[in-house]
């Protein structure tokens, strides 16, 4: 189980996250909120790529700071920014990421083939990443996150830039993958999450504004017909938080 306890992060005077507390168990969670709401900041803190000013993140009751490499081996993270190694082939990139995760050499080939198969990239693995299209790079990021059978999968806008067919495919894969693990997925494509999420977490200016099932959120907002309508009721009137 993942627990986020009173996590606060400030940039200068501005709170990117303010006393965020959440506990997540098996299943898919959708993380929604406008640009600047704090989604990526939260994910960077959960994955231990960014230090919170206060509060902590625990896995099965133990602070992830203490778990170190053990935490990295159970974690899969596809960040929002595509910091890919353009001159690497897809295969070399996956091998590199797998090594960082502690995947053993003799398992590496199978892990790479399995992850690349998931995102439909098997045929492109021996091309340099620099020659990939935007959507292919996005899929490679998802593939590296899936390597090593992570129990916690953090996906920051994984379907951004994918064509509709590939988006649906990835969505179904994510749903399939959610058995036995926690998946936290940030997205602006509300329809990508509506049908697969166990719960939706809504961030608003660094705070958790709502957390519930899609159905409960819809009925809580005067019988909104879908999640899109809930979102518009929450944010329709305001400018983003930048
Ligand atoms: N390195 C940084 N320095 C200063 N401010 C930052 C930094 N990183 C994030 N912020 C600010 O923190 C807030 C939250 O940003 P964050 O990237 O977490 O939002 P987000 O919800 O992921 O947005 P988006 O939907 O655009 O990806 C924003 O106001 C942003 O400007
Ligand atoms: Mg973001």
């Amino acid at each position: 189980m993942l627990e986020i306890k009173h996590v606060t992060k400030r940039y200068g005077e501005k709170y990117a996250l303010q006393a965020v507390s959440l506990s997540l168990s098996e299943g898919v969670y959708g993380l929604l909120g406008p640009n600047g709401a704090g989604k990526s900041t939260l994910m960077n803190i959960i994955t231990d790529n960014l230090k919170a000013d206060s509060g902590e993140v625990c896995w099965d009751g133990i602070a992830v700071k203490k778990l170190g490499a053990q935490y990295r081996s159970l974690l899969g993270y596809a960040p929002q920014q595509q910091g890919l190694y353009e001159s690497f082939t897809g295969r070399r990139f996956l091998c590199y990421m797998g090594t960082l995760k502690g995947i053993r050499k003799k398992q590496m080939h199978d892990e790479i083939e399995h992850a690349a198969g998931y995102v439909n990239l098997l045929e492109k693995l021996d091309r340099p990443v620099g020659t990939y299209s935007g959507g292919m790079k996005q899929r490679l990021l998802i593939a590296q996150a899936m390597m090593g059978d992570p129990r916690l999968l953090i996906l920051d806008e994984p379907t951004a830039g994918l064509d509709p067919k590939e988006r649906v495919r990835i969505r179904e894969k994510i749903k399939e993958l959610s058995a036995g693990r926690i998946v936290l997925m940030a997205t602006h494509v509300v329809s990508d999450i509506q049908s697969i999420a166990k719960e939706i977490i809504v961030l608003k200016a660094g705070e958790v504004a709502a957390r519930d099932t899609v159905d409960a959120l819809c009925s809580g907002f005067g019988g909104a017909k879908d999640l899109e309508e809930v979102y518009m009721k929450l944010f329709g009137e305001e400018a983003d938080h930048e």
Side-chain angles (χ1 to χ4, degrees):
M1 186 159 95
L2 182 75
E3 280 174 288
I4 297 145
K5 300 180 180 173
H6 305 286
V7 164
T8 293
K9 178 73 188 175
R10 245 177 45 185
Y11 289 109
E13 292 294 289
K14 192 183 157 80
Y15 282 92
L17 293 173
Q18 205 164 161
V20 170
S21 291
L22 290 165
S23 62
L24 309 185
S25 56
E26 203 179 304
V28 179
Y29 295 83
L31 186 59
L32 295 182
N35 293 136
K39 302 178 298 296
S40 296
T41 304
L42 179 62
M43 291 182 148
N44 279 317
I45 290 172
I46 292 173
T47 54
D48 204 21
N49 286 298
L50 182 70
K51 199 174 160 341
D53 295 331
S54 59
E56 64 174 356
V57 178
C58 293
W59 177 260
D60 286 344
I62 304 169
V64 301
K65 293 251 172 269
K66 284 196 191 136
L67 288 172
Q70 200 186 333
Y71 184 59
R72 280 195 296 283
S73 71
L74 62 82
L75 175 72
Y77 176 37
Q80 182 173 14
Q81 303 301 334
Q82 296 188 347
L84 298 185
Y85 297 75
E86 304 272 310
S87 65
F88 280 26
T89 63
R91 187 181 302 281
R92 183 151 174 240
F93 175 72
L94 291 181
C95 184
Y96 173 69
M97 297 306 288
T99 306
L100 292 182
K101 278 189 185 182
I103 292 170
R104 289 178 202 287
K105 259 197 176 133
K106 65 174 195 289
Q107 289 161 358
M108 192 64 84
H109 178 80
D110 287 355
E111 282 285 345
I112 290 173
E113 298 279 308
H114 184 68
Y118 247 121
V119 295
N120 231 355
L121 271 184
L122 273 177
E123 271 103 77
K124 311 286 194 302
L125 272 186
D126 295 308
R127 275 171 49 176
V129 174
T131 68
Y132 282 22
S133 72
M136 283 160 61
K137 287 180 181 172
Q138 191 65 30
R139 274 142 61 195
L140 190 65
L141 265 184
I142 298 173
Q144 63 76 28
M146 288 172 173
M147 286 175 79
D149 200 21
R151 293 185 55 209
L152 174 62
L153 199 49
I154 307 287
L155 306 171
D156 200 350
E157 299 190 31
T159 55
L162 297 188
D163 66 51
K165 194 174 115 237
E166 214 39 58
R167 244 182 40 213
V168 170
R169 238 178 57 79
I170 295 291
R171 179 176 72 204
E172 295 312 309
K173 288 285 176 196
I174 290 171
K175 184 179 178 182
E176 223 177 277
L177 266 174
S178 68
R181 67 189 103 222
I182 299 172
V183 182
L184 180 64
M185 170 174 160
T187 183
H188 290 296
V189 187
V190 178
S191 60
D192 273 358
I193 199 73
Q194 164 138 346
S195 62
I196 64 168
K198 168 167 105 168
E199 284 185 30
I200 303 292
I201 297 160
V202 183
L203 274 187
K204 184 172 182 174
E207 294 183 87
V208 178
R211 176 198 171 158
D212 222 322
T213 61
V214 172
D215 287 350
L217 281 175
C218 289
S219 51
F221 280 83
K225 70 174 187 308
D226 57 18
L227 201 51
E228 190 108 42
E229 203 177 315
V230 171
Y231 188 95
M232 290 314 284
K233 286 190 178 187
L234 272 164
F235 300 110
E237 298 295 309
E238 53 182 274
D240 68 24
H241 292 98
E242 293 296 347

